[in-house]
mmCIF file of all heavy atoms in Angstrom:
data_model
loop_
_atom_site.group_PDB
_atom_site.id
_atom_site.type_symbol
_atom_site.label_atom_id
_atom_site.label_comp_id
_atom_site.label_asym_id
_atom_site.label_seq_id
_atom_site.Cartn_x
_atom_site.Cartn_y
_atom_site.Cartn_z
ATOM 1 N N LYS S 49 81.098 -10.458 -46.974
ATOM 2 C CA LYS S 49 81.310 -9.179 -46.285
ATOM 3 C C LYS S 49 80.103 -8.251 -46.485
ATOM 4 O O LYS S 49 79.655 -7.583 -45.543
ATOM 5 C CB LYS S 49 82.582 -8.525 -46.849
ATOM 6 C CG LYS S 49 83.040 -7.337 -46.067
ATOM 7 C CD LYS S 49 84.394 -6.863 -46.551
ATOM 8 C CE LYS S 49 84.708 -5.507 -45.949
ATOM 9 N NZ LYS S 49 85.683 -4.773 -46.722
ATOM 10 N N TYR S 64 77.311 -16.647 -37.802
ATOM 11 C CA TYR S 64 77.867 -16.950 -39.128
ATOM 12 C C TYR S 64 78.557 -18.309 -39.142
ATOM 13 O O TYR S 64 79.292 -18.649 -38.212
ATOM 14 C CB TYR S 64 78.860 -15.848 -39.507
ATOM 15 C CG TYR S 64 79.598 -16.117 -40.794
ATOM 16 C CD1 TYR S 64 78.937 -16.035 -42.012
ATOM 17 C CD2 TYR S 64 80.950 -16.463 -40.791
ATOM 18 C CE1 TYR S 64 79.612 -16.294 -43.201
ATOM 19 C CE2 TYR S 64 81.627 -16.715 -41.967
ATOM 20 C CZ TYR S 64 80.958 -16.633 -43.170
ATOM 21 O OH TYR S 64 81.610 -16.888 -44.341
ATOM 22 N N ARG S 65 78.292 -19.091 -40.183
ATOM 23 C CA ARG S 65 79.001 -20.362 -40.371
ATOM 24 C C ARG S 65 79.464 -20.454 -41.823
ATOM 25 O O ARG S 65 78.711 -20.106 -42.730
ATOM 26 C CB ARG S 65 78.090 -21.567 -40.113
ATOM 27 C CG ARG S 65 77.711 -21.754 -38.670
ATOM 28 C CD ARG S 65 78.822 -22.493 -37.909
ATOM 29 N NE ARG S 65 78.410 -22.834 -36.562
ATOM 30 C CZ ARG S 65 78.342 -21.981 -35.552
ATOM 31 N NH1 ARG S 65 78.665 -20.720 -35.736
ATOM 32 N NH2 ARG S 65 77.953 -22.380 -34.355
ATOM 33 N N ASP S 77 75.302 -26.887 -40.489
ATOM 34 C CA ASP S 77 75.316 -25.486 -40.022
ATOM 35 C C ASP S 77 73.888 -24.948 -39.889
ATOM 36 O O ASP S 77 73.552 -24.265 -38.915
ATOM 37 C CB ASP S 77 76.102 -24.604 -41.009
ATOM 38 C CG ASP S 77 77.598 -24.909 -40.992
ATOM 39 O OD1 ASP S 77 78.059 -25.570 -40.031
ATOM 40 O OD2 ASP S 77 78.295 -24.491 -41.937
ATOM 41 N N ILE S 82 68.834 -23.813 -36.481
ATOM 42 C CA ILE S 82 67.459 -24.170 -36.078
ATOM 43 C C ILE S 82 67.442 -24.507 -34.592
ATOM 44 O O ILE S 82 66.573 -24.056 -33.849
ATOM 45 C CB ILE S 82 66.928 -25.351 -36.929
ATOM 46 C CG1 ILE S 82 66.834 -24.944 -38.407
ATOM 47 C CG2 ILE S 82 65.553 -25.808 -36.427
ATOM 48 C CD1 ILE S 82 66.549 -26.087 -39.376
ATOM 49 N N THR S 130 62.295 -16.009 -50.272
ATOM 50 C CA THR S 130 62.705 -15.405 -51.536
ATOM 51 C C THR S 130 64.109 -15.873 -51.895
ATOM 52 O O THR S 130 64.851 -16.344 -51.020
ATOM 53 C CB THR S 130 62.669 -13.853 -51.440
ATOM 54 O OG1 THR S 130 63.031 -13.295 -52.711
ATOM 55 C CG2 THR S 130 63.624 -13.301 -50.403
ATOM 56 N N ALA S 147 80.716 -12.676 -77.632
ATOM 57 C CA ALA S 147 81.367 -13.607 -78.580
ATOM 58 C C ALA S 147 80.812 -13.414 -79.988
ATOM 59 O O ALA S 147 81.579 -13.299 -80.957
ATOM 60 C CB ALA S 147 81.149 -15.044 -78.115
ATOM 61 N N ASP S 157 85.374 -20.000 -91.085
ATOM 62 C CA ASP S 157 84.343 -21.008 -91.371
ATOM 63 C C ASP S 157 83.784 -21.608 -90.088
ATOM 64 O O ASP S 157 82.620 -21.981 -90.007
ATOM 65 C CB ASP S 157 84.924 -22.147 -92.232
ATOM 66 C CG ASP S 157 85.304 -21.628 -93.603
ATOM 67 O OD1 ASP S 157 84.696 -20.615 -94.019
ATOM 68 O OD2 ASP S 157 86.224 -22.201 -94.219
ATOM 69 N N ILE S 161 85.012 -23.205 -79.389
ATOM 70 C CA ILE S 161 84.974 -22.631 -78.033
ATOM 71 C C ILE S 161 85.348 -23.686 -76.996
ATOM 72 O O ILE S 161 84.809 -24.796 -76.999
ATOM 73 C CB ILE S 161 83.556 -22.092 -77.719
ATOM 74 C CG1 ILE S 161 83.175 -21.029 -78.761
ATOM 75 C CG2 ILE S 161 83.483 -21.514 -76.295
ATOM 76 C CD1 ILE S 161 81.700 -20.704 -78.806
ATOM 77 N N THR S 195 84.164 -29.036 -72.999
ATOM 78 C CA THR S 195 83.755 -28.418 -71.737
ATOM 79 C C THR S 195 84.570 -29.048 -70.612
ATOM 80 O O THR S 195 84.560 -30.271 -70.449
ATOM 81 C CB THR S 195 82.240 -28.624 -71.491
ATOM 82 O OG1 THR S 195 81.529 -27.962 -72.542
ATOM 83 C CG2 THR S 195 81.800 -28.025 -70.163
ATOM 84 N N VAL S 209 92.915 -27.247 -67.524
ATOM 85 C CA VAL S 209 93.266 -26.579 -68.790
ATOM 86 C C VAL S 209 94.657 -27.025 -69.232
ATOM 87 O O VAL S 209 94.887 -27.329 -70.408
ATOM 88 C CB VAL S 209 93.175 -25.038 -68.663
ATOM 89 C CG1 VAL S 209 93.684 -24.352 -69.927
ATOM 90 C CG2 VAL S 209 91.740 -24.615 -68.376
ATOM 91 N N HIS S 216 95.980 -32.099 -76.234
ATOM 92 C CA HIS S 216 95.360 -31.683 -77.510
ATOM 93 C C HIS S 216 96.277 -30.693 -78.220
ATOM 94 O O HIS S 216 95.838 -29.627 -78.661
ATOM 95 C CB HIS S 216 93.985 -31.022 -77.275
ATOM 96 C CG HIS S 216 92.963 -31.939 -76.712
ATOM 97 N ND1 HIS S 216 92.916 -32.272 -75.387
ATOM 98 C CD2 HIS S 216 91.937 -32.604 -77.311
ATOM 99 C CE1 HIS S 216 91.907 -33.102 -75.180
ATOM 100 N NE2 HIS S 216 91.294 -33.316 -76.331
ATOM 101 N N ILE S 253 86.752 -14.764 -72.397
ATOM 102 C CA ILE S 253 85.533 -14.185 -71.804
ATOM 103 C C ILE S 253 85.367 -14.799 -70.418
ATOM 104 O O ILE S 253 85.431 -16.027 -70.270
ATOM 105 C CB ILE S 253 84.294 -14.501 -72.674
ATOM 106 C CG1 ILE S 253 84.512 -13.990 -74.107
ATOM 107 C CG2 ILE S 253 83.029 -13.890 -72.071
ATOM 108 C CD1 ILE S 253 83.429 -14.401 -75.086
ATOM 109 N N SER S 311 85.620 -1.472 -74.786
ATOM 110 C CA SER S 311 84.777 -0.341 -75.185
ATOM 111 C C SER S 311 84.406 0.568 -73.998
ATOM 112 O O SER S 311 84.098 1.733 -74.177
ATOM 113 C CB SER S 311 83.510 -0.833 -75.882
ATOM 114 O OG SER S 311 82.736 -1.559 -74.962
ATOM 115 N N ASN S 312 84.395 0.017 -72.772
ATOM 116 C CA ASN S 312 84.034 0.874 -71.619
ATOM 117 C C ASN S 312 85.060 0.792 -70.482
ATOM 118 O O ASN S 312 84.736 1.060 -69.323
ATOM 119 C CB ASN S 312 82.628 0.532 -71.107
ATOM 120 C CG ASN S 312 82.507 -0.910 -70.632
ATOM 121 O OD1 ASN S 312 83.437 -1.695 -70.760
ATOM 122 N ND2 ASN S 312 81.367 -1.252 -70.080
#
Side-chain angles (χ1 to χ4, degrees):
K49 190 172 168 202
Y64 174 72
R65 290 278 187 284
D77 291 344
I82 297 170
T130 182
D157 294 335
I161 301 164
T195 297
V209 174
H216 295 79
I253 303 173
S311 65
N312 61 355

